[in-house]
Amino acid sequence: MGVVEATRAVAREQVLVAMALGIPSLLADQAWRATDPDEGRGLGVLLVPGFGFGDWSLRLTATWLRKRGYAPTGARIGMNVGCTSELVDRLERRLEAHAEATGGPVVLFGQSRGGGLARLLSVRRPELVRGLVMLASPVLDQLGAHPSVVRVARTLARLSRAGIPGLLNEDCFAGACYNTNSTAMAKPLTVPAIAVFSRNDLIAPWQLCADPCADCVEVSSSHTGMGLDPEVYRLLAPRLAEWARDREPARSASTPIPVTAAAR
């Protein structure tokens, strides 16, 4: 990659730039505009945002899924900056509630760190997972992201040590939490999975996103812009539809879904 190309790639990794470039392109693309309310058959999807992002970052993804007949819901884990083990425990409760609400196993859809958390959950509770989607998730090395991202994570761990709750802690980097989740992350998947990566990703090296247990697909987007890339939605549409086809009887995503106490 030349100097000019590298400079442009760095710029695209800025969140506001990625949104400014990606949202208009996505909304104008046929991949977004084409809808089929019967395609998803009410299949539940649990959306897990990336590190430092909340459910709002996958709101367009949720809209796209809902228009196609799926039943998406957010992870409700805040900004995804907490302890890995604690977050997986919280996501497990969300998974149980959404599987109950939608009547069967659901799809786990995670971006960046969210994909890693979703993979850990898929290993823990495969009976509740219909399929796994990982966007730009460096699952082959939890600490293999760009050094600037790792520095932020370690800063959060220092703040946690100082007494601020709800953040990553030192145990997530070199302790029981890290060892437990590293072992779990290395386990083979028993659910169908898709790993989407990009060589233009300056945050998560593409080699670390190429999960050998998943169907690996390359796109050309940036890391932060992957969830807004029409190419991603074009390649995901047939795979998600395949996962939904064996769901009988079909339930329209527009039909109210009962919410259990655990999901509130």
Side-chain angles (χ1 to χ4, degrees):
M1 183 183 294
V3 174
V4 174
E5 290 81 4
T7 301
R8 289 174 177 169
V10 170
R12 285 197 300 272
E13 292 296 1
Q14 302 301 315
V15 175
L16 292 179
V17 174
M19 292 176 65
L21 294 175
I23 292 177
S25 176
L26 174 62
L27 297 184
D29 197 277
Q30 184 64 17
W32 170 269
R33 297 162 67 97
T35 61
D36 180 354
D38 296 322
E39 181 179 286
R41 298 174 176 264
L43 177 63
V45 183
L46 179 58
L47 298 165
V48 190
F51 178 71
F53 289 86
D55 289 340
W56 61 268
S57 65
L58 291 171
R59 190 167 297 165
L60 283 176
T61 303
T63 299
W64 181 81
L65 288 165
R66 196 172 292 111
K67 292 194 305 180
R68 304 179 81 91
Y70 298 90
T73 192
R76 299 183 189 174
I77 56 171
M79 298 298 287
N80 194 356
V81 293
C83 166
T84 301
S85 294
E86 292 176 2
L87 290 179
V88 174
D89 288 344
R90 291 173 62 184
L91 285 171
E92 183 177 12
R93 293 191 290 271
R94 288 290 291 156
L95 173 62
E96 291 172 341
H98 202 44
E100 180 181 349
T102 56
V106 308
V107 172
L108 293 178
F109 187 118
Q111 183 166 10
S112 193
R113 188 193 189 198
L117 296 175
R119 193 191 195 285
L120 290 170
L121 190 52
S122 296
V123 169
R124 182 186 293 187
R125 298 298 302 274
E127 77 281 5
L128 295 181
V129 179
R130 178 64 189 90
L132 170 65
V133 176
M134 298 173 286
L135 302 186
S137 302
V139 295
L140 300 186
D141 183 356
Q142 297 179 76
L143 303 180
H146 190 278
S148 63
V149 177
V150 176
R151 282 196 296 270
V152 170
R154 291 192 178 277
T155 297
L156 293 174
R158 288 194 292 271
L159 292 173
S160 177
R161 191 171 61 238
I164 298 178
L167 302 177
L168 281 159
N169 56 59
E170 295 293 347
D171 205 38
C172 297
F173 292 93
C177 177
Y178 175 80
N179 293 333
T180 297
N181 290 308
S182 293
T183 299
M185 194 74 83
K187 291 183 177 179
L189 290 168
T190 58
V191 301
I194 303 167
V196 185
F197 67 85
S198 172
R199 295 173 194 265
N200 293 324
D201 189 332
L202 298 184
I203 303 299
W206 71 268
Q207 298 94 329
L208 301 182
C209 302
D211 190 326
C213 296
D215 179 9
C216 297
V217 185
E218 181 175 3
V219 296
S220 58
S221 67
S222 66
H223 182 86
T224 52
M226 193 169 288
L228 301 173
D229 185 356
E231 184 181 6
V232 171
Y233 291 91
R234 277 193 292 273
L235 72 88
L236 288 181
R239 289 165 169 82
L240 290 170
E242 179 182 352
W243 292 346
R245 271 195 289 271
D246 64 356
R247 181 180 174 83
E248 293 291 351
R251 173 194 282 168
S252 170
S254 61
T255 302
I257 298 172
V259 180
T260 64
R264 295 193 182 99

